[in-house]
Amino acid sequence: MSHQILLLLAMLTLGLATSQHRDKVPCKQVDKEALCEGLGLLQVPSLLPRDIEALNLSGNQLRSIPASPLGSYGALRHLDLSANEISALQPGALQALPRLERLNLAHNRLAAGMALSAGGLGPLPRLTALDLSGNSLYSGLVEQLLGEMPALRSLSLAENSLTRLARRTFRGAPALERLDLHSNVLMDIEDGAFEALPRLAHLNLSRNSLTCISDFSLQQLRVLDLSCNSIEAFQTAPDPRADYQLAWLDLRENRLLRFPDLTALPRLVYLNVSNNLIRLPAGPPGGSEDIHAPSEGWAALPLSNPSRNASTQPLSQLLNLDLSYNEIELVPEGFLEHLTSLRFLNLSRNCLGAFRAWGAGSLPCLALLDISHNTLEKLELGAGALGSLRTLLLQDNALRDLPPDTFTSLASLQRLSLQGNRISPCGGPGEPGPSGCVAFSGISSLRILNLVDNKVETLPAGAFLHTPLTELDLSANPGLDVATGALAGLEVSLEVLALQGNGLAVLQVDLPCFSCLKRLNLAENRLSRLPAWTQAVSLEVLDLRNNSFSLLPGSAMGGLETSLRRLYLQGNPLSCCGNGWLAAQLHQGRVDVDATQDLICHFGSQEAVSLSHVRPEDCEKGGLKNVNLIIILTFALVSAAILTTLATCCCVRRQKFNQQYKA
């Protein structure tokens, strides 16, 4: 009996120890996935369920991957070993995982592991995704690492130290579809390096040291990222039978001197050549002697060819073209004519002095045109051009004296930015306007208009009639004279109005009539009074900074109590007393008054104090002192009057007495 009791106790002790040991495994388990990331582990846990299909060991301190216990998880399909210190991999460690499909070894020390570099990763027949980024891998070592991986579709070698790609680098991965090589030091790609990859569709070569792409011949490629290199020229291989599938090409931040030769790439929908040194030719192709001989720079331009079908014209399917941050002085005639699918065109940060879209049907699908930050003085927009344009960005140019109807013909225009030009709005129909003014009335589609810093002197009456703006910014026009009725017609549409920095002393706008107004910026003016909001409105944000307000009476602000959420008041000579409405808002917390701790107010001519430190009794004491002073002054005046009267009476009696005595 004692032996049985001892045996039972031993079994209970062993079971309890096993249970406690299992409980010490720190990994979380969700279905068939074990999450062991960031636990400071020094080795692969051995007590996980044998049927797990995903194991995340990222962010630990693993230095090597032994065949055991990893091999005991034979059902693994996904293994994440990233962000460890792995430099050694025992032979057969990964081969013990016959179902492995995704392997992440990013940000380890694979380049330092001699055993690993000699044996490589071995054959992995079912692996489809492999990440080896951030391992300081150098040219030659990659070939040793990549064994037979016939199913591999995605490979990342980003953020390594590769300087050259050899012809045989990817021979063991013929099914590759995505290859990421960004942030290496690649200077040379051997001819045929990608020939063994007939399915390659996405190739990222950004942030390397490539200087020229002279014979691009990857017909199967759909996405190519060559940004942030030192490329001076891009040209496809001279094969007229080639059927290129390239749809996305990124060449930004290189050293291109000319527009790239894209005549063989009719399927392009995205092209980015921003931040280069491109200077499109200013004159027509060829000289006066031979109009068919291309001049310098024109051979690469995608000009229309009558012999081609519309669908095979160069860039005829292009949707997005970014030419910003170059040295373009003029867009040549015909350059934009055939871009019939283009929706986004960015020409900002160039040297353009003029822009013209004159022909009927020119750029029929264009929705956004950015010509900001140039030196534009001329803008010619034909009546039938830019029929789909919704956003036009023209800020920071030198536009002035434009034709009055410049923008009225843009039937779909919704947003127009003219900040930093010299545009003066015309008045409404039949209203006089300044010389060279531009009409902004009658544009039924326009919703957002920016006229900041245009040296506008007068905003005439009816300037925006029949133009249902929701946002209007007229800030930074010092000396602006806003005529009565200048904003007429916007009462039921305007939501955002900015009149900051105009030096306004009087506001000739009946703001309470704007029922939809939500944000109002009147900062940096000379205003001391506001119109009375006596009825509830929609205003949520009111900016009154750096004006001349001393009081915000409840009679003028009462209608804002239900809607106002934020009030800016810094830089005003506020009175500490008499601002009952403002004090109530601060006390009740219904309105967030910006920087209340630094909001300064004044007790008469006394020293300024923080508004948050003012107590009601301070104003009561101040009022009592004033009452006492008035009583004292009144008593003094009455006493002086009585004394003066008595003195006068005494003088009169004395004179009468003297006259009687003499008689």
Side-chain angles (χ1 to χ4, degrees), residues 311-332:
S311 61
T312 59
Q313 289 280 5
L315 307 186
S316 61
Q317 298 186 33
L318 196 65
L319 300 179
N320 191 317
L321 174 58
D322 193 340
L323 283 160
S324 60
Y325 289 91
N326 278 283
E327 299 180 6
I328 301 171
E329 297 179 358
L330 181 66
V331 179

Side-chain angles (χ1 to χ4, degrees), residues 243-262:
D243 184 19
Y244 290 98
Q245 304 297 313
L246 195 65
W248 197 95
L249 177 59
D250 194 341
L251 285 163
R252 71 182 188 274
E253 295 186 47
N254 279 285
R255 297 180 181 177
L256 291 172
L257 299 174
R258 299 167 55 184
F259 195 84
D261 182 3
L262 306 171

Side-chain angles (χ1 to χ4, degrees), residues 266 448 531:
I448 301 173

